[in-house]
Amino acid sequence: MVDTFDHAPQVWNAAQLREALKDLPDDTPIHIGVAEDPGDFDGYRESVLVDAHHVENWWPATATSPERTETENALTLFADWKPDEYDVLD
């Protein structure tokens, strides 16, 4: 049997992000370090913020309810590899 553990990071809210950004100039790039394993930032891969969208949940129509979409009070930040030259992968 595989050993497991509960991973419960503190997920930041908008107020925490605003506080972290408050003194930065508007044109400051935002870099994101993505953990290689849960909670392990020793070997993180650096990414850059490229977009953000409000979270939308979508449910298909069923026999008893129509299709619906709801926008949550949440935001998804999208990150990409930082600008550099990379090998073309087949």
Side-chain angles (χ1 to χ4, degrees), residues 33-81:
V34 180
E36 288 294 320
D37 290 305
D40 178 11
F41 291 97
D42 289 336
Y44 72 89
R45 184 179 80 221
E46 187 176 356
S47 302
V48 293
L49 182 63
V50 295
D51 205 352
H53 293 279
H54 286 280
V55 175
E56 286 190 350
N57 294 314
W58 174 81
W59 293 269
T62 65
T64 58
S65 63
E67 175 182 311
R68 65 188 173 116
T69 301
E70 291 180 6
T71 301
E72 290 186 36
N73 288 331
L75 196 64
T76 298
L77 302 177
F78 291 91
D80 197 353
W81 289 34

Side-chain angles (χ1 to χ4, degrees), residues 5 13-16 18 21-22 24-26 37 57 59-60 68-69 77-78 81 83 85:
F5 68 97
N13 59 38
Q16 290 168 298
R18 271 190 217 95
L21 298 174
K22 72 178 182 180
L24 293 177
D26 288 346
D37 290 305
N57 294 314
W59 293 269
R68 65 188 173 116
T69 301
L77 302 177
F78 291 91
W81 289 34
E85 187 172 312

Side-chain angles (χ1 to χ4, degrees), residues 1-5:
M1 186 161 105
V2 175
D3 289 335
T4 63
F5 68 97

